[in-house]
Each structure stands twice: as structure tokens, then as C-alpha cells.
Amino acid sequence: MIKKRVEPKLVKNIKENDWFNSNQNNFVDMFIHDRKLINDLEEVEINGCYFKNVDFSNIQVRNCDFIDCIFENCNLIGCDFSNKSIHRVCFRYCNLGSTDYIMSSVKDVLIDDCKCDYINFSDSKIDTLEIQDSLFREARFINIKLKNVAFNEVNFHGCEFLNTSLKNVDFSSCDISNLKVNVNDIKGMIVNESQALILVNLLGIVIKE
């Protein structure tokens, strides 16, 4: 059981705001919905924002901090969140496919019912991450120290967990077929009986009947 995740801290009765077409350094306490963004976001902080039905797909998102934010039914495919902070953020019903979180700080984050195929968390710091009912096929978790993570009904088919200790991480409700792991990293990993056979095959062990 992981420690309780801290929810995003949004102001009460957050008001609808238009997305400014100007070079701002910060976007604070905004409710943005039903929009297709047209301006790139780079080197800005987004704090206390609620995005609903927002399409980020045609813009570049680079080097942006996201603090206390909710993304609901948003298209963020291909966005780059590398080298930044993603703290107290919820993603629900979003497309996060091929997004990058390389060398980022990920803390108190929920990913719920999202498409996250090919997502890349390599070299990031992850502390208190919940993932449920989501697709993480061919995702990458490389050179990470996982702290306080919970996985429930996640499809990790073909996912890479390399140089990342999986001790005490519970995969028992997940699809771990074709998982790519290092032998030393699976010590203490929590799996069900059928998954144990998958891991045996991955390690090249032959079971004689």
C-alpha cells in the first residue's frame, strides 16, 4: 500500500479563462476547455489549471512545469515534459502516447484510463505515482528509482523496466507480457502465478514437466 497521493490544489470556483495568445511566463488558476491550442508552450509554468477537452497535438510543449493541474479528455500526444516538474497532476481519459518525461520530477501523479503507449520516463525521479486502467505498451522506465507506485489493470506489454528496481511493486493485475527487465531488478517484484511463468520464460529458464 503506497502513501496517500496528494491531490491537485485548485482554487474553489475556478473561473473560465481564455488561453492568451501572448508570451506569458505563467498560467495560473485557469479553466480551459474545448479548445485546440495554436501557440507553442516553452519555458513556462502552468499552475492550478484545469484542462478539459483540450487538444495540444499541433503545438510544441517543451520545458514546462505543471503544478496542481488536472487534464481531462485531453490530447497531449507527442508532448515533451522533459527536465521539468510534474507535481500534483491528474490525467484522466487522455492520450499521452509518445510523450517524454526524461529527467523530470514526477510526484503525486495519477494516470487514469489513459493511452500512454511509447511514453518515456527514463532517468526521472518518480515519487507517488498511481496508474490505473491504462495502456503503457512499449513504454520506457529506465534508470529510475520508483518510490510509492501503484499499478492497477495496466497493459505493460513490451514495456522496458531497465536498471529500475521493481522490489515491492505489485504487477499482479497488469499485463506484463513481453516485458523487458534486468534479472537483478525483478527481485521482490509482486506478481501472480501466471505472471511468474512469464518471468521464468523471459529469464530463459526451461521448466521440465
Side-chain angles (χ1 to χ4, degrees):
M1 185 69 180
I2 71 170
K3 71 178 182 181
K4 186 176 181 180
R5 175 178 50 83
V6 180
E7 295 286 345
K9 300 174 182 178
L10 273 63
V11 298
K12 292 183 179 180
N13 302 316
I14 188 170
K15 294 183 179 180
E16 181 177 349
N17 286 271
D18 197 0
W19 192 265
F20 298 107
N21 294 320
S22 61
N23 293 321
Q24 287 191 215
N25 292 324
N26 297 290
F27 296 90
V28 180
D29 299 336
M30 294 183 178
F31 174 44
I32 302 99
H33 66 95
D34 300 305
R35 290 181 61 85
K36 188 180 183 76
L37 302 187
I38 59 174
N39 290 336
D40 292 346
L41 296 175
E42 187 166 5
E43 298 292 346
V44 299
E45 180 177 329
I46 295 91
N47 195 320
C49 292
Y50 182 6
F51 302 93
K52 185 174 183 179
N53 300 320
V54 177
D55 187 352
F56 294 79
S57 63
N58 286 338
I59 68 170
Q60 294 295 320
V61 179
R62 293 186 297 264
N63 296 324
C64 295
D65 286 323
F66 287 88
I67 313 295
D68 291 314
C69 292
I70 296 175
F71 294 85
E72 183 178 341
N73 198 32
C74 293
N75 184 3
L76 294 134
I77 189 167
C79 290
D80 188 352
F81 298 99
S82 298
N83 298 295
K84 282 298 181 178
S85 298
I86 314 295
H87 291 180
R88 298 185 300 277
V89 174
C90 291
F91 298 97
R92 293 190 175 95
Y93 322 119
C94 294
N95 189 341
L96 297 167
S98 299
T99 52
D100 285 328
Y101 295 82
I102 300 170
M103 298 183 70
S104 289
S105 174
V106 178
K107 186 173 183 180
D108 291 304
V109 170
L110 170 68
I111 300 176
D112 181 18
D113 200 1
C114 293
K115 297 178 181 179
C116 304
D117 295 339
Y118 301 102
I119 197 170
N120 190 350
F121 283 101
S122 296
D123 298 300
S124 290
K125 295 180 180 178
I126 296 180
D127 182 355
T128 312
L129 169 66
E130 294 183 45
I131 305 174
Q132 56 191 31
D133 300 311
S134 296
L135 297 175
F136 271 73
R137 294 170 298 194
E138 307 291 338
R140 306 186 79 189
F141 293 81
I142 301 175
N143 298 324
I144 298 173
K145 183 178 180 180
L146 297 174
K147 182 179 180 181
N148 298 310
V149 297
F151 302 146
N152 183 37
E153 300 291 342
V154 184
N155 187 336
F156 286 117
H157 175 82
C159 185
E160 296 181 32
F161 285 92
L162 300 176
N163 298 324
T164 298
S165 175
L166 301 178
K167 184 177 180 179
N168 298 324
V169 180
D170 189 345
F171 287 86
S172 60
S173 67
C174 302
D175 181 350
I176 61 169
S177 56
N178 202 31
L179 201 68
K180 299 175 178 64
V181 293
N182 293 326
V183 175
N184 293 335
D185 291 333
I186 65 174
K187 184 178 180 180
M189 179 180 175
I190 301 171
V191 296
N192 60 41
E193 186 174 347
S194 61
Q195 290 171 327
L197 293 175
I198 292 175
L199 291 177
V200 166
N201 291 329
L202 286 174
L203 297 175
I205 297 174
V206 178
I207 299 175
K208 186 176 181 180
E209 296 183 358

